[in-house]
Amino acid sequence: MSSTFSKKYWQSLEEKQQEPKFIETSQHEFAEEIPVEEFLGEKAASLPLDRRDFLKLAGFSFSVAGLAACSNMPVERAIPYLIQPEDVIPGVPNYYASTSNCPCACAIVVKTREGRPIKLEGNPASSINGQGLCAVGQAQVLGLYDSSRLKGPIFEGKPTDWETLDNKVRTALIVAVGEKKKIRILTQSIVSPSTKKVIEKFANKYPQTEHVVVDAISYSAIFKANGLSFGRQVIPHYQLGQAKVIVSIGADFLGTWLSPVEFSRNYAANRKLNQPNAGMSFHAQLEANLSLSGSNADLRVPVAASEYGKVLLDLYEALKGSESKNSSVKPEMIHQLSEKLLANKGSSLVLCGSNDIQDQIVTNAINSLLGNYGKTIDLDHPSFQRQGDEAKFATLLEEMQKEEVGVLILYGVNPLYSSPHAQAFSEGLKNVTLAVISLDPYFNETSYQVAAIAPDHHQLESWGDAEPVQGYYSLVQPTISPLFNTRAAQDSLLKWMGELQTYDVFLKNAWREGPYLRQSTHLNFEKFWQETLKQGVLEVAVSSASAYAFRGNLEEAASKIKARHTNAEKMELVLYEKIAIRDGANANNPWLQELPDPISKITWDNYVCLAPVLAKKLGYENEDLVKIRLGDQALELPVYIQPGQQENTVAVALGYGRSQAGSVGNGVGKNLFPWLNLVEGQWVTYAQGLSLTKVGRKYPLALTQTHSSLHGRPIIKEASFEEFQKNPAAGNEERAHLLSLYPARQDSNQDQKVGHAWGMVIDLNACTGCGACVIACQAENNVAVVGKDEVRRRREMHWIRIDRYYSDSEDNPSVVHQPMTCQHCGNAPCETVCPVIATNHTSDGLNAQVYNRCVGTRYCANNCPYKVRHFNWFRYFDNDKFPYNQQDALGKMVLNPDVVVRSRGVMEKCSMCIQRIQAGKLDAKLAGLPLQDGQIKTACQQSCPTDAIVFGDINDHQSKVSRFKTSQRDYVVLEEVGTKPVVSYLTKIRNKA
């Protein structure tokens, strides 16, 4: 029998345990009936209608009301260009290379329509992130049109003009110089070399200036440990693509740690099995709470965060050939890992996510012992993505308390929200004697309390550059004129130091004196500048990395780690970042708030994650509201029982609880940044001494994957790598033998020749479940945000979802992520039941949805075995009841004009990006060339960092998708039903633990 059927898969503990409430809920396709009052108003109260009666009464009236609405719409006349820009052709997109505004600084391509940026993609020319872009990067385009952005400069809480603000700031700076007061610029990590030069020039103008860098999530232990271990105080550039064995201790490198898009891309390249005799890297994850990286690991071991250093000591001793028992991890497990690492010296990698210097020193010792420096770890071309130092921030706090700081400039930081020293910083602000200036484009918790705000541009309105890794450059260029009266932060600094040149000129001169001299391709600077601006990236890191000998004090580190007290009986708090919300800087972005967490599948909130064994011990159930207390701090949060969590760990996400984020982000969840623990001056994300108390109320969570049951059907197919090597069809041996009463469908074009037959293959080995495709689809196809309450009612509108399946033990389950979209069935069950033929089959093999014809019977959704069709309940885009989509005209500028905005009362689903298909076919026709494989990419495919999604023409037997469909790993979900989907999957293959 196939190994597929040897496992039982489940999506939630309720399903696994077959709780009565779950069984009852799963038997209902829709959570509740149509809210008649929303459609019929006050008359609904006198009409006791059930769903069928309501449709009898209102089915036809939907279309009539739609026509009436069209006839009564106000006339809006298009105003033509007075002078049309040369590069803007109505209806034709323009593309510009730029860089994302996040610590990773991914190179991007910006799609604009009629001067409006509407879609972001990764830049294929970048060897860091390639065409991939994470969910946060995709969602940045929505932030451009956020009406919460400041409209101009602010002084003492009131709008002012730039000249007045500049005069006040310059006066304060001159007085600070005269009074020998300190000037401090507090920023987050800056990856822009030209911005660093601006700050350096500012410090030369005002000698009392010091640049202090602090990040909400600190990585300072890594570069401090490297300084002690190798004399190079840097964060290395980790080469996951060169690693055959990866052991991660608490580092969620596929989700949120350091550079997840780059790491995911390189990680997946070693996990694909598309080439003959392809090998597959081995990945072990030891962690406290189940992360995205842990869910993809071959071997996962739950371990308390306070034990990370002790696990590393055990591993180091095992590599040296001796045994020690410092941690709770079984010695045989440590021995197994050490054997794999030793067998792959120079092609292995040990990562640690702890912000503890001693833990990182032991990690360095392990990697040095394995000969990984100069191979999988590059110290010669370090990462600049995280440079924050909380020790220097602590020094700044002392200076502020002593009234030594005359002028404080805040750039990209929000310490009154994202610092454990928020209270001390708030008190320190009062002691800054002359001026506190914020360059933030929003009112946030910190800028709300300062006198002067010089709002920065959005990244898509800006000039700039980035060097996330030494030698890997990218440029930032404006793709739209500033929407408000804002000014680039660099221009503000240049103004305040009396410089006449603007930042765009400064940037160009900085490149003339810097990157231009490091390349040899172009001898003319102007040509070099134009080509680099067009390409978007410049890479000059050509020298190979060097090996380094470890010279750290391992004995001292080991002694400190062994002295740590770990009480296995007491609960331990672990703070972590979510894939979408991260440190909370983007909390006002509704796309990110509504993106389901890849592990819990919860949106719009943070919560207390408990292991099943701990929840049972305490008598807690999902959604129980509990009071969580640590020292003198306490707050209330709902419980979520998370399989795979270490039994005494209590995990809560950071990034929530904003009070000055904007209309979307305010009041969502609770802020846990004040709970960050201090260990030897470092901000660490775990703490002991936690207590929980049941409040006695429930708090409903907005879950998206507790709605249905597998009913024992084989949705997921998987096998071990050892089985796959013996049999390429392992896990996929049993195939349905289908019989049909209907003749085979023949898709043809107008010439009766075989035409296109679009199809898709998704490699489950490459898909990490990151959710980038979900946001890409949302941006491309104008998918509505519905809000927390509607998600609770199962009304989320995402056209693609990432299903997460568990198997094996609930204490440490195996996890598989499976993207699920409309399967575009050849024998589509939705087509046969639609009374108005709103869903039909196209000549090139797609299942189409005609919105103007749909009357919302929902029969198609009932008949869809994949549950990928969504009923549009409300006019989400302009109904005041749903303020999540920026109701003003500004928010609607993000809409893709190639895709209709759907109204209420119709069914929605994936269209396989039909607008892109049509555009690709038209481009080929205009060029007089045949359509090439790969010329058309769906939004989900293009955004995927791991290239897990392949789309193309199945009738083209040379196409990549066609070749994949001949693989013995290829299967379709619910094949036995006979729907004949054109979307198929490649079986999940794992190494045996």
Side-chain angles (χ1 to χ4, degrees):
M1 179 175 284
S2 166
S3 58
T4 299
F5 299 96
S6 63
K7 281 191 172 187
K8 297 294 183 183
Y9 294 91
W10 38 282
Q11 297 173 314
S12 64
L13 288 170
E14 293 87 349
E15 180 184 359
K16 184 176 189 292
Q17 296 162 5
Q18 286 295 290
E19 295 182 0
K21 183 180 179 181
F22 171 82
I23 296 173
E24 180 184 357
T25 303
S26 65
Q27 291 173 349
H28 294 84
E29 171 68 23
F30 298 98
E32 57 186 71
E33 296 302 332
I34 292 177
V36 179
E37 64 277 0
E38 295 290 343
F39 293 90
L40 301 184
E42 295 178 357
K43 295 180 181 180
S46 61
L47 296 173
L49 305 175
D50 62 16
R51 175 173 177 266
R52 186 177 297 275
D53 291 334
F54 173 68
L55 289 172
K56 287 179 184 177
L57 175 67
F60 175 73
S61 67
F62 282 155
S63 56
V64 174
L67 293 173
C70 291
S71 63
N72 293 327
M73 287 178 65
V75 176
E76 295 185 8
R77 302 187 183 279
I79 307 299
Y81 289 108
L82 183 63
I83 301 176
Q84 181 171 320
E86 291 183 6
D87 60 343
V88 174
I89 302 174
V92 177
N94 288 56
Y95 296 88
Y96 300 91
S98 192
T99 306
S100 68
N101 183 26
C102 70
C104 299
C106 292
I108 61 174
V109 175
V110 184
K111 177 183 178 181
T112 67
R113 280 291 302 269
E114 289 75 56
R116 295 181 295 116
I118 62 170
K119 186 73 175 66
L120 306 183
E121 307 287 0
N123 188 339
S126 169
S127 62
I128 298 290
N129 62 283
Q131 73 169 21
L133 193 62
C134 70
V136 174
Q138 295 276 337
Q140 285 177 9
V141 68
L142 186 61
L144 172 66
Y145 304 112
D146 187 351
S147 58
S148 298
R149 289 171 57 198
L150 292 173
K151 308 303 188 289
I154 302 288
F155 186 74
E156 293 185 345
K158 297 179 181 179
T160 186
D161 59 84
W162 281 107
E163 184 178 0
T164 300
L165 183 72
D166 291 341
N167 288 336
K168 290 182 180 298
V169 173
R170 275 196 294 263
T171 300
L173 289 167
I174 292 170
V175 172
V177 171
E179 295 182 353
K180 306 292 185 185
K181 289 284 187 178
K182 294 177 180 177
I183 300 170
R184 295 292 180 260
I185 301 177
L186 179 63
T187 77
Q188 63 181 351
S189 289
I190 293 177
V191 295
S192 166
S194 63
T195 301
K196 291 176 183 176
K197 282 184 175 292
V198 170
I199 295 174
E200 182 181 341
K201 193 176 183 70
F202 187 93
N204 291 334
K205 173 71 176 180
Y206 302 108
Q208 294 103 309
T209 301
E210 183 180 332
H211 180 199
V212 180
V213 182
V214 65
D215 294 315
I217 307 296
S218 177
Y219 289 72
S220 63
I222 298 178
F223 64 73
K224 289 179 180 178
N226 282 325
L228 295 170
S229 302
F230 307 108
R232 296 218 62 191
Q233 190 161 305
V234 296
I235 291 181
H237 187 204
Y238 296 102
Q239 306 284 348
L240 271 76
Q242 307 298 320
K244 295 180 181 177
V245 175
I246 301 169
V247 176
S248 172
I249 316 292
D252 184 15
F253 60 90
L254 297 179
T256 59
W257 191 75
L258 202 58
S259 186
V261 173
E262 176 190 4
F263 294 158
S264 297
R265 182 170 179 248
N266 295 333
Y267 173 87
N270 282 342
R271 306 280 291 181
K272 294 180 180 179
L273 300 170
N274 303 329
Q275 302 297 328
N277 302 316
M280 190 168 76
S281 63
F282 178 85
H283 170 204
Q285 187 85 10
L286 296 88
E287 59 185 5
N289 57 303
L290 182 58
S291 69
L292 191 66
S293 299
S295 69
N296 285 277
D298 298 304
L299 170 65
R300 182 180 176 276
V301 182
V303 59
S306 59
E307 284 200 290
Y308 289 169
K310 296 181 179 181
V311 172
L312 288 162
L313 283 178
D314 286 347
L315 185 58
Y316 179 82
E317 292 297 329
L319 291 169
K320 292 283 287 184
S322 59
E323 290 187 9
S324 66
K325 182 67 169 128
N326 297 294
S327 72
S328 61
V329 179
K330 295 178 180 178
E332 54 267 31
M333 190 72 69
I334 296 293
H335 180 70
Q336 177 187 349
L337 293 177
S338 67
E339 282 192 330
K340 288 185 178 294
L341 290 168
L342 288 170
N344 291 274
K345 279 190 170 184
S347 58
S348 59
L349 185 58
V350 177
L351 304 173
C352 179
S354 169
N355 193 42
D356 184 284
I357 296 175
Q358 315 308 328
D359 293 356
Q360 294 295 341
I361 287 175
V362 181
T363 305
N364 292 346
I366 290 173
N367 282 307
S368 181
L369 187 63
L370 294 168
N372 292 334
Y373 289 93
K375 295 174 182 176
T376 59
I377 304 177
D378 184 354
L379 288 174
D380 293 326
H381 307 98
S383 167
F384 300 135
Q385 292 160 328
R386 297 283 184 172
Q387 305 159 60
D389 188 346
E390 55 266 53
K392 291 185 178 179
F393 179 70
T395 301
L396 171 62
L397 285 176
E398 292 177 7
E399 294 172 340
M400 292 167 65
Q401 295 289 355
K402 295 176 182 177
E403 299 186 3
E404 296 174 357
V405 179
V407 177
L408 175 64
I409 299 174
L410 307 170
Y411 178 29
V413 291
N414 186 11
L416 288 189
Y417 164 73
S418 60
S419 166
H421 304 297
Q423 184 62 38
F425 191 84
S426 178
E427 295 170 359
L429 283 178
K430 301 170 187 175
N431 296 328
V432 177
T433 56
L434 296 172
V436 180
I437 306 109
S438 170
L439 302 176
D440 203 283
Y442 295 88
F443 270 130
N444 60 30
E445 287 80 356
T446 305
S447 64
Y448 203 75
Q449 296 194 28
V450 307
I453 306 178
D456 192 8
H457 291 325
H458 188 275
Q459 186 87 341
L460 296 176
E461 303 168 329
S462 307
W463 283 101
D465 58 358
E467 189 184 13
V469 176
Q470 189 177 69
Y472 294 82
Y473 298 93
S474 63
L475 280 167
V476 180
Q477 61 177 316
T479 57
I480 189 174
S481 296
L483 298 176
F484 307 118
N485 185 25
T486 55
R487 185 173 70 189
Q490 298 89 342
D491 273 321
S492 291
L493 293 175
L494 289 169
K495 279 273 187 184
W496 299 338
M497 69 178 85
E499 283 286 330
L500 297 178
Q501 63 177 328
T502 55
Y503 175 54
D504 57 332
V505 176
F506 185 95
L507 170 69
K508 196 171 180 180
N509 289 334
W511 273 62
R512 190 192 306 272
E513 299 166 3
Y516 173 64
L517 301 178
R518 297 188 62 189
Q519 57 84 46
S520 56
T521 305
H522 298 284
L523 301 179
N524 178 277
F525 175 76
E526 287 300 328
K527 186 174 181 181
F528 160 79
W529 177 253
Q530 292 299 325
E531 286 297 314
T532 308
L533 201 60
K534 181 179 178 181
Q535 187 79 358
V537 298
L538 173 71
E539 299 181 358
V540 296
V542 293
S543 59
S544 58
S546 304
Y548 284 82
F550 177 81
R551 57 174 187 266
N553 192 334
L554 184 61
E555 291 75 15
E556 181 183 355
S559 176
K560 289 183 177 180
I561 290 172
K562 290 177 181 179
R564 292 176 191 162
H565 178 68
T566 301
N567 191 330
E569 299 300 320
K570 288 192 175 182
M571 290 183 289
E572 184 171 291
L573 175 68
V574 167
L575 303 175
Y576 68 99
E577 288 183 277
K578 279 194 180 184
I579 301 299
I581 300 301
R582 303 287 177 92
D583 63 4
N586 295 301
N588 204 50
N589 192 307
W591 287 355
L592 296 176
Q593 287 283 7
E594 199 154 292
L595 177 66
D597 179 74
I599 303 301
S600 69
K601 296 301 171 185
I602 298 175
T603 67
W604 287 102
D605 267 309
N606 58 346
Y607 34 85
V608 174
C609 293
L610 300 180
V613 64
L614 181 59
K616 185 176 181 180
K617 176 182 175 182
L618 298 175
Y620 292 166
E621 297 178 349
N622 276 338
E623 301 183 341
D624 279 344
L625 198 63
V626 298
K627 177 169 284 188
I628 175 173
R629 185 180 296 277
L630 182 67
D632 58 354
Q633 301 180 102
L635 49 79
E636 294 180 359
L637 281 171
V639 163
Y640 179 72
I641 302 174
Q642 177 59 62
Q645 188 154 300
Q646 196 272 339
E647 60 179 330
N648 286 317
T649 293
V650 176
V652 186
L654 296 164
Y656 290 83
R658 295 287 306 275
S659 61
Q660 296 294 335
S663 60
V664 172
N666 285 347
V668 178
K670 299 294 175 63
N671 181 17
L672 271 293
F673 273 109
W675 298 45
L676 285 172
N677 194 15
L678 293 176
V679 176
E680 296 184 354
Q682 303 295 122
W683 296 352
V684 299
T685 53
Y686 73 89
Q688 297 176 330
L690 183 76
S691 66
L692 296 176
T693 307
K694 205 169 188 177
V695 173
R697 303 193 307 274
K698 292 279 188 178
Y699 180 93
L701 293 167
L703 288 118
T704 61
Q705 198 178 344
T706 56
H707 304 166
S708 58
S709 171
L710 298 178
H711 298 292
R713 297 180 294 187
I715 307 297
I716 296 294
K717 295 189 177 183
E718 65 176 308
S720 70
F721 183 57
E722 290 76 3
E723 291 172 327
F724 171 77
Q725 288 179 307
K726 297 174 184 176
N727 175 19
N732 195 27
E733 300 96 338
E734 295 191 11
R735 306 300 298 266
H737 179 63
L738 300 177
L739 298 175
S740 176
L741 296 174
Y742 297 96
R745 183 192 298 273
Q746 183 176 359
D747 297 321
S748 60
N749 59 20
Q750 293 179 349
D751 297 328
Q752 299 302 314
K753 297 177 182 177
V754 175
H756 299 295
W758 304 111
M760 180 178 284
V761 176
I762 301 174
D763 188 349
L764 296 183
N765 255 39
C767 176
T768 63
C770 70
C773 56
V774 178
I775 300 298
C777 174
Q778 187 157 25
E780 174 71 23
N781 294 295
N782 302 332
V783 175
V785 175
V786 302
K788 186 191 301 186
D789 289 340
E790 297 306 303
V791 174
R792 287 168 174 165
R793 294 183 175 96
R794 307 191 223 168
R795 292 175 178 173
E796 66 274 8
M797 297 299 295
H798 292 133
W799 283 7
I800 182 172
R801 67 177 190 262
I802 312 293
D803 289 340
R804 180 264 299 121
Y805 294 100
Y806 295 124
S807 61
D808 304 327
S809 164
E810 62 188 43
D811 295 323
N812 189 19
S814 179
V815 186
V816 180
H817 301 279
Q818 183 184 57
M820 180 58 64
T821 182
C822 175
Q823 302 291 285
H824 292 272
C825 305
N827 294 335
C830 56
E831 297 174 12
T832 58
V833 296
C834 181
V836 292
I837 320 178
T839 178
N840 55 70
H841 216 71
T842 69
S843 61
D844 47 6
L846 296 181
N847 176 257
Q849 182 73 22
V850 184
Y851 299 120
N852 280 357
R853 187 179 290 169
C854 177
V855 297
T857 63
R858 302 190 293 177
Y859 298 157
C860 57
N862 281 325
N863 221 37
C864 174
Y866 307 100
K867 303 309 169 194
V868 289
R869 305 179 72 90
H870 307 279
F871 182 66
N872 193 322
W873 290 86
F874 300 105
R875 293 175 61 85
Y876 293 108
F877 281 96
D878 56 10
N879 191 320
D880 291 339
K881 188 176 179 181
F882 300 93
Y884 304 107
N885 289 288
Q886 306 292 349
Q887 299 310 309
D888 51 59
L890 178 67
K892 294 180 181 178
M893 287 177 69
V894 78
L895 297 176
N896 183 357
D898 294 330
V899 181
V900 67
V901 177
R902 284 77 62 190
S903 184
R904 69 178 180 181
V906 301
M907 298 300 304
E908 293 190 21
K909 68 168 195 69
C910 159
S911 68
M912 206 70 87
C913 290
I914 187 65
Q915 69 279 2
R916 292 190 174 204
I917 294 173
Q918 295 301 102
K921 289 160 67 175
L922 181 60
D923 288 344
K925 182 178 180 180
L926 292 174
L929 298 171
L931 192 62
Q932 299 296 313
D933 183 40
Q935 188 172 337
I936 299 172
K937 291 182 182 290
T938 60
C940 57
Q941 174 191 15
Q942 190 167 7
S943 68
C944 181
T946 62
D947 198 23
I949 302 173
V950 177
F951 172 81
D953 187 356
I954 303 172
N955 281 346
D956 176 4
H957 298 298
Q958 301 304 313
S959 69
K960 191 175 181 181
V961 69
S962 184
R963 296 198 305 271
F964 274 21
K965 285 193 177 287
T966 63
S967 167
Q968 294 185 66
R969 291 173 59 207
D970 185 77
Y971 76 95
V972 297
V973 172
L974 301 181
E975 182 179 26
E976 66 276 14
V977 177
T979 54
K980 295 187 176 180
V982 300
V983 178
S984 59
Y985 300 84
L986 301 183
T987 55
K988 176 76 173 181
I989 306 296
R990 274 198 174 94
N991 290 295
K992 280 187 177 178

